[in-house]
Amino acid sequence: MLETQASVYTEPLSFRVIFRVLGSMRLAVHLLLFVAIASIIGTILPQQEVYTDYLHQFGTFWFTVFGNLDLYDVYRCGWYMGIVAFLIMSTTVCVFRNAPSMLREMRHVKSNPSESFLQSRPEQFESSSSKSDAETTQSATATLGDFGYQAQILKTSAGHSVIFAQKGRFYRTGYLLTHVGIILFCAGALYNANLPLKWAEWMGTVHPEKNFDLPLSKIPQSSWLSSTSSAFRGIITIPVGQTVNAIFELVGDGFLVQHLPFMLRLDAFKVTHYSNGLAKDFVSTISLYHHDGKKFKTGIVRVNHPMSVDGVQIYQSSYSDSASKLQLHNYLLSAPALPPAAISTSVGEHLKTFGSKYAISITDFKTQNVIPRKAVGLSSGPDHGMINMGPTVSYLVNNDRDHTRIILKSYMKAFSRHGEAYRLIGFRESGSSAYHYLTIPQGPEHGIRLFMTYLGDLEQAARNGENASKTVFINNLKKAETQTQVFLTPHERDDFLQASLKAMQELRAYPLPFLTVFHDYDLHWSAGLEITRYPGMKVIYVACFALVFGIFILFYVPRRRIWIQMSEDDNKGRRIKLFGDSSRNEEDFHRDMEELNDKLQEKL
């Protein structure tokens, strides 16, 4: 016995099959979902930052995982642009397949609806009328007009007269605008991603430089980009008074140097603060020059208020110290009565003291610094428990012999506690998170010279064999007043004496043989600017308008169609049949149809 097996037809892979798959709703939804997830990741995870920042933030394991997935530059990585490109193709195919039929449907009305078509409408009502065809048609047309419909007379395939009316004839425009908006939005995103640069990277004609300490003059030409680049996003830090004509664009674990189509000079910089010391606003005044040196624009750039010139946006992103001159006074605790050594330095410089035993590195300078009030023995005030200590210099001290590291902060602004003014110095060992503080009484001359002289006199009295007593403390304080020519009233002397004794107790925990006090500074600012050129933004704005307008049409402009069929009945009257359908909001349409049917029965 022979067994037969039915053959199964399998359509060969062809252009038609590929065309159908690309235009399928399932593929478009999945691609749109992937793009949305990737965009969420790109929004949450900071993009295009220095790789060492990511390493410190996430640790070695997750830093490697995120790096292998190209999550540090999501919007310009290959897999993201590939998904966006497929979404463009899928949506374009969908529009290409469906737009002709939608346009025909909006342009033309079905002139001879069949009986089966009318009977398949979800809304159907039936009534009768004794009026003639002309009177019935006139009354029905007037009633439809009262409901906002424009009516016209049609003939069915069976020869019956039909009054046709509709609202929202162009509702399909919503579908077209939405899909076209998605295409334009994705196309603009790809344009902003600078595909020519990605292609140059893949082909090896552009090589990001990975040595961030390399001077600009020594960066190879393979790491430079032309000022005619279609899109770019870079950063630059400019000291006041200097001019630049290039920015740095972070790419992976390196950078590229992007030529600007103009020269930019930072004329001035200003930062304002809230009462608690937090930055309120920072503003850069900049001038733009042609490459021949001719100025063509001057303006200000502040946070969230960029300057725009020829499609290039200049944003204020940050600010920092620019080699401000810092004046420090260094006191020896072994000989505190000696005049301090004056030190002129700036952030980034390295100093030696105590016969090169200690290395001092100036690490940071801030004009405003906020610390908890409780840290300096103050109760919580109106500033939510914080106090602004003003200008602060931070420095790191390395002991080259025992390899200990001490981190210190010296505050220039004095604070008041119980009527006495104090200078503050914070210190902690490297690896510890909590600061300990020295609160040194300042005296009426706005310095710690009186305290240091008093400390030296007490040490000399101890070496002379004098025992600690109130008389010794008072006499040596009067002696220090005479030496420094800083004289106190009896009340001030009592307060200063108590504050000094407490400061001496705090000095027992101080780990260094010298005391470095922040005395003065000559401020020089640098402004951090982000400069971008995104030519696809105009396309994206058009796409956003198309999306919003299209979605509005989809939600609020449904297509509603009504047919009124008239025919003779057995009693020589007129039989009136009402048919209708709606593209959405069927319940509301059903109530409207009931109301329309009631009005027709009243008039007919």
Side-chain angles (χ1 to χ4, degrees):
M1 181 177 179
L2 296 176
E3 294 183 0
T4 60
Q5 184 176 3
S7 61
V8 179
Y9 172 73
T10 303
E11 185 175 1
L13 185 62
S14 62
F15 175 78
R16 181 176 296 179
V17 175
I18 297 174
F19 192 77
R20 186 169 63 246
V21 172
L22 282 176
S24 67
M25 178 66 71
R26 179 177 298 178
L27 177 62
V29 170
H30 280 84
L31 291 174
L32 192 60
L33 180 62
F34 291 148
V35 170
I37 293 174
S39 300
I40 291 173
I41 295 173
T43 302
I44 296 175
L45 187 66
Q47 300 290 291
Q48 284 186 276
E49 293 191 354
V50 180
Y51 268 31
T52 53
D53 294 344
Y54 293 122
L55 181 60
H56 293 156
Q57 182 177 0
F58 301 119
T60 304
F61 176 77
W62 288 111
F63 167 77
T64 304
V65 172
F66 293 161
N68 291 335
L69 294 174
D70 285 333
L71 297 186
Y72 302 134
D73 195 2
V74 169
Y75 303 113
R76 298 197 303 179
C77 68
W79 60 263
Y80 180 83
M81 290 191 291
I83 293 175
V84 172
F86 267 107
L87 181 59
I88 292 175
M89 288 190 293
S90 176
T91 312
T92 302
V93 170
C94 183
V95 172
F96 183 78
R97 289 176 55 187
N98 296 291
S101 60
M102 291 181 177
L103 293 174
R104 284 194 301 269
E105 181 182 344
M106 290 186 293
R107 192 183 309 114
H108 302 292
V109 176
K110 194 172 183 179
S111 58
N112 54 346
S114 64
E115 191 69 25
S116 60
F117 173 80
L118 294 176
Q119 293 296 331
S120 64
R121 299 305 91 195
E123 299 293 336
Q124 298 185 23
F125 297 89
E126 187 172 341
S127 60
S128 60
S129 173
S130 59
K131 294 183 177 181
S132 64
D133 282 352
E135 293 174 332
T136 302
T137 300
Q138 184 178 2
S139 298
T141 302
T143 303
L144 289 170
D146 294 339
F147 280 78
Y149 291 89
Q150 291 184 348
Q152 60 183 111
I153 308 299
L154 303 177
K155 290 287 186 178
T156 67
S157 56
H160 299 142
S161 296
V162 174
I163 301 175
F164 173 73
Q166 69 173 337
K167 286 182 182 179
R169 173 181 175 181
F170 298 101
Y171 83 108
R172 291 288 191 184
T173 307
Y175 291 94
L176 296 176
L177 285 175
T178 304
H179 286 72
V180 171
I182 293 174
I183 295 171
L184 293 177
F185 194 95
C186 293
L190 285 182
Y191 193 14
N192 287 341
N194 199 354
L195 290 178
L197 173 60
K198 297 301 294 184
W199 179 258
E201 288 184 58
W202 291 334
M203 297 301 294
T205 57
V206 171
H207 301 281
E209 176 58 48
K210 298 186 179 181
N211 184 2
F212 286 85
D213 297 325
L214 199 64
L216 194 65
S217 59
K218 294 185 179 180
I219 295 176
Q221 288 300 312
S222 61
S223 299
W224 286 76
L225 301 176
S226 170
S227 61
T228 59
S229 298
S230 60
F232 56 77
R233 174 179 179 263
I235 56 175
I236 189 68
T237 300
I238 315 173
V240 173
Q242 293 196 12
T243 303
V244 298
N245 64 351
I247 57 175
F248 300 97
E249 185 167 1
L250 298 178
V251 179
D253 57 351
F255 67 92
L256 296 170
V257 184
Q258 171 67 60
H259 271 296
L260 292 175
F262 48 74
M263 295 189 296
L264 186 151
R265 173 186 168 85
L266 180 63
D267 298 323
F269 181 83
K270 181 181 179 181
V271 58
T272 56
H273 297 83
Y274 292 104
S275 59
N276 60 4
L278 297 178
K280 181 179 181 180
D281 191 18
F282 37 101
V283 182
S284 296
T285 302
I286 63 176
S287 296
L288 303 180
Y289 298 81
H290 293 298
H291 289 290
D292 59 5
K294 185 178 180 181
K295 183 192 295 188
F296 66 92
K297 188 170 185 176
T298 299
I300 62 172
V301 180
R302 67 195 323 151
V303 179
N304 297 326
H305 293 83
M307 176 189 287
S308 179
V309 52
D310 297 332
V312 177
Q313 302 289 326
I314 305 172
Y315 296 88
Q316 180 74 67
S317 61
S318 63
Y319 65 94
S320 62
D321 166 65
S322 176
S324 297
K325 290 299 180 182
L326 311 175
Q327 304 298 325
L328 309 178
H329 284 175
N330 196 42
Y331 293 87
L332 298 179
L333 293 180
S334 59
L338 291 178
I343 302 174
S344 179
T345 184
S346 60
V347 174
E349 291 191 0
H350 304 281
L351 312 170
K352 291 285 187 179
T353 187
F354 261 73
S356 299
K357 178 182 177 181
Y358 293 94
I360 303 177
S361 301
I362 310 300
T363 57
D364 194 17
F365 164 65
K366 295 181 178 179
T367 58
Q368 305 289 326
N369 200 291
V370 179
I371 63 173
R373 295 173 62 89
K374 292 182 178 179
V376 292
L378 297 175
S379 58
S380 297
D383 295 328
H384 308 289
M386 307 298 286
I387 181 173
N388 179 18
M389 294 301 299
T392 308
V393 61
S394 301
Y395 53 98
L396 174 67
V397 176
N398 287 282
N399 188 332
D400 293 339
R401 294 184 180 178
D402 60 12
H403 303 291
T404 57
R405 293 158 57 93
I406 308 297
I407 300 172
L408 299 101
K409 287 184 177 182
S410 183
Y411 302 82
M412 195 181 83
K413 178 183 175 182
F415 72 97
S416 179
R417 184 176 65 191
H418 307 306
E420 184 70 34
Y422 294 87
R423 294 292 292 273
L424 188 67
I425 295 177
F427 63 93
R428 65 180 177 89
E429 293 185 3
S430 180
S432 173
S433 59
Y435 274 93
H436 303 280
Y437 291 97
L438 295 178
T439 52
I440 303 174
Q442 182 172 257
E445 294 297 323
H446 307 293
I448 66 169
R449 181 171 167 234
L450 176 60
F451 171 79
M452 298 304 294
T453 303
Y454 179 43
L455 179 61
D457 290 342
L458 287 178
E459 291 180 352
Q460 184 61 43
R463 286 193 292 269
N464 293 337
E466 298 184 31
N467 294 322
S469 66
K470 183 176 181 180
T471 301
V472 172
F473 290 147
I474 294 176
N475 289 339
N476 279 280
L477 179 54
K478 291 180 179 179
K479 179 181 176 181
E481 292 178 30
T482 302
Q483 292 172 329
T484 60
Q485 295 297 300
V486 179
F487 296 101
L488 306 174
T489 65
H491 178 70
E492 290 175 340
R493 186 176 295 117
D494 290 339
D495 291 341
F496 189 86
L497 180 61
Q498 295 296 325
S500 297
L501 294 177
K502 183 172 182 180
M504 293 175 193
Q505 291 179 339
E506 294 172 348
L507 278 171
R508 294 179 180 178
Y510 186 70
L512 297 174
F514 56 88
L515 200 62
T516 304
V517 180
F518 189 13
H519 179 67
D520 201 1
Y521 64 95
D522 182 16
L523 182 61
H524 298 278
W525 284 118
S526 287
L529 302 178
E530 180 178 301
I531 304 177
T532 66
R533 175 191 279 165
Y534 286 146
M537 290 306 299
K538 293 181 180 179
V539 178
I540 290 176
Y541 292 147
V542 173
C544 290
F545 173 80
L547 281 170
V548 172
F549 193 54
I551 292 174
F552 177 84
I553 294 175
L554 287 174
F555 277 94
Y556 298 105
V557 186
R559 182 193 63 178
R560 292 181 172 182
R561 299 183 297 182
I562 295 175
W563 295 265
I564 301 177
Q565 185 184 67
M566 297 173 291
S567 59
E568 295 183 359
D569 62 9
D570 297 337
N571 298 323
K572 297 184 180 180
R574 311 299 300 170
R575 178 185 299 172
I576 308 299
K577 290 185 179 181
L578 182 63
F579 305 94
D581 63 14
S582 176
S583 61
R584 58 184 303 111
N585 301 329
E586 289 83 0
E587 294 183 1
D588 293 340
F589 182 63
H590 178 72
R591 288 192 293 269
D592 292 344
M593 287 291 291
E594 288 181 335
E595 183 178 356
L596 175 62
N597 184 59
D598 293 340
K599 292 291 184 180
L600 286 174
Q601 289 183 1
E602 290 177 6
K603 292 186 177 183
L604 300 178

